[in-house]
Amino acid sequence: MTSIGGAEMVDWNLAVATATRLVRPGPEVSRHEARAVVAELRRHAKTSERHVREYTRMVPENATVQDTPVLVVDRAGWVKANVAGFRELLGPLLGKMQERRGSAPGGAVLGAVGGKVTGVELGMLLSFLASRVLGQYETFAPAALDLPGPATGGRLLLVAPNIVHVERELGVDPHDFRLWVCLHEETHRTQFTAVPWLRDHLEGEIQTFLGATEMDPMNVLERLREAAQSFAGARPADEHGEDGRSLVELVQTPEQREVLGRLTAVMSLLEGHADFVMDGVGPGVVPSVAEIREKFQQRRASGAGRLDAALRKLLGLDAKLRQYRDGERFVRAVVGEVGMDGFNRVWTSPNTLPTKSEIAKPSDWVARVHGK
């Protein structure tokens, strides 16, 4: 833990405790049913591995992916895993901020208080998200005592109570739905295990993004003030306009926005590819896939009420929904024009990844990479 005089930038233990205390309980299930759900999700994860590799024609260089374990977790387990991931990824930035604050008058006292406040805020955010995530491939995942992880690579998390909650809410076949979710998440695992450079490239972009963070507290406060004014009494957000950006985007520096554009393109590709594969494999192995897809899309678009919609907008989660849609459209268009093998040239190197503008206009990517 980065600290000066014992004061931490973020009280990670408090973040876990806060999120665990505030997160809503999962659906009621018997002990026998819970064990059955966990066992089925593990089986589906293994089955999905074969289906996804055959459909995408993406095979890891190593014969196995034992370095990327599949963990079926509850909501508290998801919180612990993500706090560990945040701690790993944000370490360099927090170290720089700690040094800057530690040299200021009263820095140690401010650090102790600020770490507690930030820990509570992070815990509140995670408690909101912990009941909504169905699965997640943790790209940057350090091992923990109760959450095994690899020395390098990632791990796949399946959040059992959330999957059960959604399948009940949608009224769909639970066995089909669990396999459908596993197909999506297994695609993400395949992306990173079959493309060795992808993890380091993504980490490099994120560290560049974090490195451009303005360290002057007054500059940060000024940007937050501008962001608050933008949201207070603003016109209805335009999907692509300035007012449509989230609070996260509004506090970016110009350099960060440039990096954010590249990150957005990569994340759109990864999410869209997972949706495309899920739809491609689904009809052959998930009998009720059409019903699941229709109901899930309606749920994804509508959210769960006004408060949920407001928080999603504030946190930038609406942008993630656009990534699913835009990315899937890109993948479908490219595969339709140059086939699956032609599309897979996207994984050749960072230079063959689509830009943000190419995500919106797939023919430009085809022209650049295939010379058409």
Side-chain angles (χ1 to χ4, degrees), residues 338-354:
V338 296
M340 185 65 75
D341 290 334
F343 165 79
N344 280 341
R345 289 182 64 176
V346 78
W347 312 116
T348 304
S349 74
N351 292 330
T352 56
L353 291 173

Side-chain angles (χ1 to χ4, degrees), residues 55-273:
Y55 186 78
T56 63
R57 305 174 193 172
M58 298 173 66
V59 180
E61 291 184 353
N62 297 326
T64 65
V65 288
Q66 296 302 318
D67 60 333
T68 57
V70 177
L71 305 180
V72 182
V73 298
D74 58 11
R75 291 171 176 175
W78 181 87
V79 168
K80 292 177 183 177
N82 276 266
V83 166
F86 284 147
R87 182 175 173 178
E88 181 87 357
L89 197 59
L90 297 178
L93 172 65
L94 295 182
K96 289 197 299 183
M97 296 181 70
Q98 186 75 35
E99 292 174 3
R100 186 180 184 91
R101 189 170 64 185
S103 62
V109 175
L110 289 174
V113 175
K116 297 293 184 184
V117 172
T118 307
V120 170
E121 291 174 339
L122 177 59
M124 294 174 65
L125 169 62
L126 289 172
S127 72
F128 169 76
L129 296 174
S131 61
R132 286 157 175 78
V133 177
L134 301 182
Q136 173 187 358
Y137 181 77
E138 273 200 296
T139 313
F140 313 101
L145 291 177
D146 53 349
L147 288 169
T152 59
R155 62 187 170 209
L156 181 61
L157 304 180
L158 298 170
V159 191
N162 294 351
I163 293 173
V164 172
H165 170 76
V166 173
E167 70 192 26
R168 290 179 178 179
E169 181 183 39
L170 298 181
V172 295
D173 182 280
H175 308 293
D176 284 2
F177 184 75
R178 293 165 196 173
L179 176 55
W180 189 73
V181 171
C182 288
L183 288 171
H184 182 99
E185 302 308 330
E186 176 58 37
T187 302
H188 287 315
R189 185 164 71 145
T190 298
Q191 290 164 345
F192 283 93
T193 55
V195 186
W197 55 264
L198 184 58
R199 179 185 184 275
D200 290 341
H201 172 72
L202 194 59
E203 182 178 18
E205 290 283 59
I206 292 173
Q207 292 303 334
T208 300
F209 179 85
L210 296 176
T213 299
E214 293 182 349
M215 296 299 174
D216 187 338
M218 292 306 296
N219 287 342
V220 174
L221 288 175
E222 177 64 20
R223 288 188 172 275
L224 287 172
R225 183 183 65 82
E226 293 173 358
Q229 289 178 346
S230 175
F231 276 95
R235 301 183 305 275
D238 176 77
E239 184 173 349
H240 302 289
E242 186 80 5
D243 291 334
R245 290 186 296 162
S246 68
L247 178 59
V248 175
E249 292 174 287
L250 284 168
V251 297
Q252 307 307 315
T253 65
E255 182 181 353
Q256 283 178 310
R257 288 177 187 168
E258 183 178 339
V259 180
L260 184 63
R262 297 197 299 268
L263 280 171
T264 297
V266 175
M267 297 311 298
S268 296
L269 171 69
L270 299 180
E271 297 292 359
H273 183 237

